[in-house]
Amino acid sequence: MDFKNQYTISDLLTNESFLNFYFKKNEDDMLDWEEWVEEDSTHEQLAKNAFTLLDRLSLKWDEAEIKKRFVELKQSLTDESETEIVALPTQPLRVSYRRKWAVAASILIMAVLGISVYLDKKAKNDYVFENTDPNKSTIYHLKDGTTVTLKGKSQLQVATDFNETTRTVTLNGEAFFEVAHNADKPFLVLTGNVITKVLGTSFTVKSPLLSQNTEGGKSVEVEVVTGKVSVYKKDINAKKGEPLDNGVVLTPNQKVTYLNENEHFVVGIVDKPVIMKEVEKKPEMIQFKFEETPLSEVISKLEKAYGIQIVLSNDKMNDCPMTANLTKQPLFGKLDLVCAILKASYEVQGTRILITGRGCE
């Protein structure tokens, strides 16, 4: 191949030949670009970053809007001063914007998502960790001591200057984080329009892959195992890294789901609550064998073990005696047995559990 011309990632995203390669529209283009990618590791990384951005496509605009945005994009690229360049194959370099998908690709990637020269440079400097097997998890150790377990076909983007001034990562998919504590540098996980902020804790973040259509559905779900987590919506009008009054603070065994349709947070309890780490170290606190024990004491012990508020709707239930061994049961199993004995019922209301019954005679 001839390397007479040099281009940036912006050129890739507005190059119909490269878009043919991405969309698998033309066999000749695909062969040419495959050869180019294999020739140099820099080419491979550039193509990989371009593919990552193109995976974020969501073709929703009509033809008129596309043309309008395209003019804005071209002007933006003309005004910017681009200094980082790489060699691209000069044949075939057919740049035609007659196809709607080619125009939409360049516009949606750079105009809608705000990807410009800054992200062109940033993308090439970021580390991208991936888990390609949907049935397995991959563990990565970040330079600050944080451990990240990527699940499913997930991807984590980490800047090369991570932990120098800030600790910010971008997640596409699902991951479990065990964050190293650093009060001076909060750990931020960016997932679409949602930011999860912690100092040092363990939690799971679940977000639909960017290639999936999440319109009207869940956008992000965060589940806390240890510590405290702040989850809030990103706002371009806010100062960088500053949380707004539009989110929630979670403690162990709590979760929040961000609903994409109405931009609303819904808090609740995780599906499988676990005994808190600090309680696990005290053997007497994880034994749930009761002998004629007042229900109020049983509930108090469960609350301390799981960090979840449990409310009795009827004060007459407080003194009801309980005789049962609940040690090997999960929390909801314990509650099932308690309610069976008392002929009561329970329901999860947000981050608390309400037990309803007549009491004992």
Side-chain angles (χ1 to χ4, degrees), residues 14-47:
T14 54
N15 185 295
E16 184 174 346
S17 175
F18 183 80
L19 293 171
N20 281 336
F21 171 46
Y22 173 79
F23 288 105
K24 298 180 181 180
K25 294 285 186 178
N26 185 292
E27 185 174 351
D28 290 337
D29 288 340
M30 292 170 60
L31 292 174
D32 285 329
W33 284 101
E34 286 172 358
E35 180 180 345
W36 178 78
V37 168
E38 293 173 358
E39 285 182 349
D40 189 285
S41 59
T42 303
H43 301 168
E44 181 182 6
Q45 185 59 49
L46 184 65

Side-chain angles (χ1 to χ4, degrees), residues 233-287:
K233 181 186 173 186
K234 180 168 59 178
D235 193 316
I236 60 174
N237 296 318
K239 294 181 180 180
K240 186 176 181 181
E242 178 183 339
L244 302 177
D245 186 21
N246 62 3
V248 297
V249 175
L250 303 177
T251 54
N253 288 322
Q254 293 182 352
K255 70 177 181 179
V256 63
T257 301
Y258 176 73
L259 300 179
N260 196 47
E261 182 177 20
N262 54 13
E263 300 182 345
H264 183 64
F265 288 99
V266 178
V267 295
I269 297 174
V270 299
D271 295 336
K272 297 180 180 180
V274 296
I275 295 175
M276 294 192 297
K277 296 295 183 182
E278 58 269 28
V279 176
E280 285 184 338
K281 302 175 183 178
K282 304 175 182 179
E284 71 279 7
M285 292 296 295
I286 58 176
Q287 294 297 318

Side-chain angles (χ1 to χ4, degrees), residues 126-277:
D126 286 354
Y127 294 115
V128 178
F129 302 102
E130 294 182 297
N131 183 51
T132 57
D133 191 335
N135 300 315
K136 295 182 180 180
S137 298
T138 304
I139 298 176
Y140 293 100
H141 301 282
L142 305 185
K143 64 175 72 174
D144 69 328
T146 293
T147 300
V148 182
T149 304
L150 285 180
K151 304 178 181 181
K153 289 189 175 182
S154 301
Q155 183 182 85
L156 186 74
Q157 186 172 325
V158 183
T160 54
D161 62 354
F162 174 83
N163 200 40
E164 293 179 9
T165 56
T166 61
R167 296 193 295 169
T168 302
V169 299
T170 301
L171 174 67
N172 176 18
E174 178 179 353
F176 176 71
F177 295 85
E178 295 178 275
V179 177
H181 183 83
N182 188 334
D184 297 325
K185 298 176 184 176
F187 192 97
L188 303 179
V189 181
L190 309 183
T191 44
N193 292 326
V194 175
I195 299 175
T196 303
K197 178 181 179 180
V198 301
L199 296 178
T201 183
S202 57
F203 59 97
T204 296
V205 178
K206 303 177 183 178
S207 65
L209 295 175
L210 293 174
S211 58
Q212 297 176 349
N213 180 13
T214 60
E215 183 178 5
K218 297 179 181 178
S219 175
V220 177
E221 186 173 282
V222 179
E223 299 181 355
V224 177
V225 177
T226 62
K228 187 178 292 186
V229 171
S230 174
V231 184
Y232 54 96
K233 181 186 173 186
K234 180 168 59 178
D235 193 316
I236 60 174
N237 296 318
K239 294 181 180 180
K240 186 176 181 181
E242 178 183 339
L244 302 177
D245 186 21
N246 62 3
V248 297
V249 175
L250 303 177
T251 54
N253 288 322
Q254 293 182 352
K255 70 177 181 179
V256 63
T257 301
Y258 176 73
L259 300 179
N260 196 47
E261 182 177 20
N262 54 13
E263 300 182 345
H264 183 64
F265 288 99
V266 178
V267 295
I269 297 174
V270 299
D271 295 336
K272 297 180 180 180
V274 296
I275 295 175
M276 294 192 297
K277 296 295 183 182

Side-chain angles (χ1 to χ4, degrees), residues 42-60:
T42 303
H43 301 168
E44 181 182 6
Q45 185 59 49
L46 184 65
K48 187 175 183 179
N49 289 332
F51 269 43
T52 298
L53 300 179
L54 286 166
D55 284 341
R56 302 184 184 189
L57 278 177
S58 178
L59 305 180
K60 299 177 181 178

Side-chain angles (χ1 to χ4, degrees), residues 237-343:
N237 296 318
K239 294 181 180 180
K240 186 176 181 181
E242 178 183 339
L244 302 177
D245 186 21
N246 62 3
V248 297
V249 175
L250 303 177
T251 54
N253 288 322
Q254 293 182 352
K255 70 177 181 179
V256 63
T257 301
Y258 176 73
L259 300 179
N260 196 47
E261 182 177 20
N262 54 13
E263 300 182 345
H264 183 64
F265 288 99
V266 178
V267 295
I269 297 174
V270 299
D271 295 336
K272 297 180 180 180
V274 296
I275 295 175
M276 294 192 297
K277 296 295 183 182
E278 58 269 28
V279 176
E280 285 184 338
K281 302 175 183 178
K282 304 175 182 179
E284 71 279 7
M285 292 296 295
I286 58 176
Q287 294 297 318
F288 300 93
K289 187 175 182 178
F290 304 103
E291 190 74 35
E292 293 295 308
T293 306
L295 180 60
S296 59
E297 294 183 20
V298 175
I299 296 303
S300 177
K301 191 168 186 178
L302 291 176
E303 287 182 320
K304 292 176 181 178
Y306 292 93
I308 296 175
Q309 183 184 14
I310 303 175
V311 179
L312 298 177
S313 66
N314 188 344
D315 289 340
K316 295 180 179 180
M317 302 175 68
N318 283 315
D319 297 324
C320 292
M322 284 291 303
T323 299
N325 188 352
L326 310 176
T327 303
K328 294 183 179 181
Q329 297 292 328
L331 175 60
F332 291 127
K334 290 179 173 67
L335 293 175
D336 286 336
L337 289 175
V338 168
C339 288
I341 293 172
L342 296 177
K343 296 181 180 180

